[in-house]
Amino acid sequence: MSGHKSGGGAPQPSELQRGLPMVAKWDPEALAREKAMLAELEKSGLCARLVAYSKKMGPGWMQSALTLGSGSFFSSFFAGAMLGYSLLWVQPLGMLLGVIMFMAIAYQTLSTGVRPFAAMRRYVHPAVAWAWALTSLAATVIWHFPQYSCGGTAAADLAEHFGWAGAGKLVGARLFFGLVMLAVCVAVTWLYGSGSRGLKLFDRLIKLMVAVIVLSFMLVVIRTGVRWQALWEGLTRFRMPSDKTGIEVMMGGLSAAVGINMTFLFPYTLLARGWGREHRGLAKFDLVLGMWLPFVLATGFLVMAAANTLYNPANPVTSKLGPDKAAQVLSAAAGPVVGRIIFDLGVLAMVISSIVLHMLVAAFIVCEIFGIEPTGWRYRLTSLIPIPGVLGTVVQFPFWLPVVTSGICFVFLPIAYIAFFLLHNRRDYLGADKPTGARAWAWNIAMLIAIGVVTSYAAWWLIEIGLPKLLGS
């Protein structure tokens, strides 16, 4: 429903778009019971709340599934192969900064019930809201290609292991793997808009895929061994690389933690589930245990697996390895079952979960732009927008396309963060829920640190990588 306009043309706060007609329409009685239970939980102790929260998580796990894709794989594995355990601190810090901003986004969304696109148009600027939505959509479509490329490579490596010689070099075979992944991802994505039962099944499948990712890479690390002293130092000494390539690897790890499309997906998944003020504590818990922890474990295990098998200070790795080469190296160290089969399955779960969430966020963005209810056949059609990415299994898209898109998205992520920072300090938006006093200072300092880090990365990336590549230097 579009808000009516005043004489000045701006939608009034009370008339902004609120909520999403999904769970609230499909199962209002269950949602009412859940809200009553959470409200009653506020009177209980911390342990009782945490136990109850663990059974209700969902949106945080979806953020893990979205960010644990090909970008996380390459940045983590290359970091371990090139620099050993020394950059283990990067992913936890990068995701922590993301969690800070996502907690603020959750607080705003759950306190007001207002859709962030409408809130940003009204209280920041329409141009910022549109740029946020369109760059999120562009990032989703472009970043879809490398997911299929990475997944197709892992699938071909599995096929070769089981006797399909040369599968990785056959265009038809790679396209077949891509089409199978596409069929699986479409089936899972369409569950989300199909009703209350479909959404619950979607949640379970996403959690299962994230669990497969973490457990697969954990088994590889167990087989290749853990260097406990190096692990401790890698997490606590915050060592900085001394050369440009090492800094690029470190900054890439920070950027892989949060993408701009995640800032769009998260608040809309909260609204889709009908969450409100009663869910604010649950949302924080979900972000820590559903988003931060799985991401840190999966990427940390990847760094350690690469460091255990490839790191050699005397002869450092200087080029990124695909999942097929990585699996072959790990197979020699951990055995063909854990080092190759389980590792490849972990990579496949990684990219499939990311592809599903790419399709979901594309649907949310397009439905929001055109005022479409994100259910039924219209939702299904909008979720198919990124599917040209399946061609990533067989073709190399123009080199300048991901460079330009990544540059725009990296530059705009700080602007999106700043927009949410401004919203967090608008009394006419949050009303009595606007933080004051020490709470306001704590929120603002934490958010400004996150903004400062991503802004520094955006500036560094543009100067050192984006512009030189675009200019051919």
Side-chain angles (χ1 to χ4, degrees):
M1 177 181 70
S2 300
H4 298 292
K5 294 187 176 181
S6 65
Q12 297 303 299
S14 61
E15 298 164 341
L16 291 173
Q17 291 175 306
R18 297 175 184 271
L20 281 173
M22 297 179 78
V23 171
K25 180 179 75 172
W26 293 331
D27 203 348
E29 295 83 6
L31 180 59
R33 291 194 299 271
E34 181 176 275
K35 289 186 175 183
M37 180 271 290
L38 291 172
E40 188 66 25
L41 265 180
E42 291 299 315
K43 306 172 187 176
S44 305
L46 178 62
C47 290
R49 291 203 304 274
L50 296 183
V51 170
Y53 289 164
S54 66
K55 302 174 183 178
K56 299 292 182 179
M57 294 191 301
W61 284 90
M62 293 168 68
Q63 296 303 305
S64 287
L66 177 55
T67 192
L68 285 172
S70 61
S72 296
F73 170 81
F74 285 113
S75 62
S76 302
F77 203 83
F78 189 47
M82 181 179 176
L83 297 164
Y85 283 46
S86 64
L87 293 185
L88 277 171
W89 60 272
V90 171
Q91 281 86 1
L93 175 62
M95 186 53 80
L96 177 61
L97 297 174
V99 166
I100 290 170
M101 293 305 303
F102 279 68
M103 283 186 176
I105 293 170
Y107 182 84
Q108 297 168 23
T109 305
L110 298 179
S111 296
T112 65
V114 174
R115 299 187 191 181
F117 183 69
M120 206 174 286
R121 279 190 301 173
R122 170 67 176 87
Y123 296 107
V124 181
H125 196 279
V128 174
W130 279 102
W132 174 55
L134 293 177
T135 51
S136 295
L137 182 60
T140 299
V141 173
I142 298 302
W143 291 340
H144 215 60
F145 285 83
Q147 309 304 325
Y148 277 103
S149 178
C150 187
T153 302
D157 185 67
L158 271 176
E160 290 181 354
H161 176 76
F162 286 107
W164 189 349
K169 298 179 180 179
L170 296 173
V171 173
R174 291 180 64 88
L175 182 59
F176 169 75
F177 299 140
L179 292 174
V180 170
M181 286 190 288
L182 173 62
V184 171
C185 293
V186 168
V188 175
T189 304
W190 284 4
L191 288 172
Y192 199 87
S194 63
S196 183
R197 290 184 179 178
L199 193 148
K200 289 177 182 177
L201 180 56
F202 179 94
D203 273 357
R204 289 172 185 155
L205 290 173
I206 291 299
K207 291 176 182 177
L208 176 62
M209 281 188 275
V210 173
V212 168
I213 295 167
V214 174
L215 291 174
S216 297
F217 299 149
M218 182 183 72
L219 287 173
V220 174
V221 170
I222 291 173
R223 286 286 295 173
T224 57
V226 179
R227 304 171 190 173
W228 295 104
Q229 181 65 28
L231 173 61
W232 173 252
E233 292 176 356
L235 290 171
T236 60
R237 291 199 174 180
F238 302 99
R239 291 173 176 165
M240 300 283 289
S242 57
D243 62 302
K244 181 180 177 180
T245 303
I247 293 173
E248 182 179 347
V249 172
M250 181 191 74
M251 299 300 277
L254 285 173
S255 69
V258 177
I260 190 170
N261 50 1
M262 293 172 64
T263 66
F264 201 103
L265 177 67
F266 181 61
Y268 282 85
T269 56
L270 297 177
L271 294 173
R273 294 172 72 97
W275 285 15
R277 306 173 64 86
E278 302 87 351
H279 294 81
R280 290 188 300 197
L282 170 58
K284 293 178 183 178
F285 181 86
D286 193 16
L287 283 170
V288 174
L289 264 69
M291 176 179 168
W292 184 83
L293 186 60
F295 176 82
V296 169
L297 289 175
T299 55
F301 288 143
L302 276 172
V303 171
M304 293 164 67
N308 291 344
T309 53
L310 289 167
Y311 176 55
N312 181 359
N315 186 25
V317 173
T318 56
S319 60
K320 295 183 180 180
L321 296 174
D324 53 342
K325 300 298 183 185
Q328 291 164 19
V329 170
L330 291 171
S331 177
V337 175
V338 173
R340 193 166 187 180
I341 297 174
I342 292 180
F343 178 80
D344 280 335
L345 288 174
V347 173
L348 280 171
M350 205 174 196
V351 296
I352 287 173
S353 64
S354 192
I355 290 169
V356 168
L357 271 300
H358 277 157
M359 297 175 76
L360 179 61
V361 70
F364 273 133
I365 295 169
V366 177
C367 286
E368 184 69 349
I369 288 174
F370 291 102
I372 300 171
E373 183 176 326
T375 56
W377 67 268
R378 291 178 177 178
Y379 158 78
R380 296 187 181 98
L381 285 180
T382 56
S383 72
L384 299 180
I385 287 173
I387 64 171
V390 73
L391 297 176
T393 58
V394 294
V395 298
Q396 294 291 325
F397 43 90
F399 79 95
W400 50 264
L401 192 57
V403 172
V404 171
T405 306
S406 295
I408 293 172
C409 295
F410 286 153
V411 169
F412 195 77
L413 181 59
I415 301 175
Y417 276 12
I418 292 170
F420 283 112
F421 173 83
L422 294 175
L423 287 173
H424 212 72
N425 288 276
R426 292 290 299 252
R427 184 169 293 280
D428 52 351
Y429 169 52
L430 289 176
D433 289 300
K434 179 189 174 297
T436 57
R439 288 181 65 243
W441 278 101
W443 270 115
N444 287 335
I445 290 171
M447 285 191 287
L448 286 173
I449 291 172
I451 291 168
V453 171
V454 297
T455 302
S456 299
Y457 173 72
W460 179 88
W461 187 92
L462 271 178
I463 295 170
E464 296 292 336
I465 300 176
L467 291 176
K469 285 186 177 180
L470 286 174
L471 297 174
S473 59

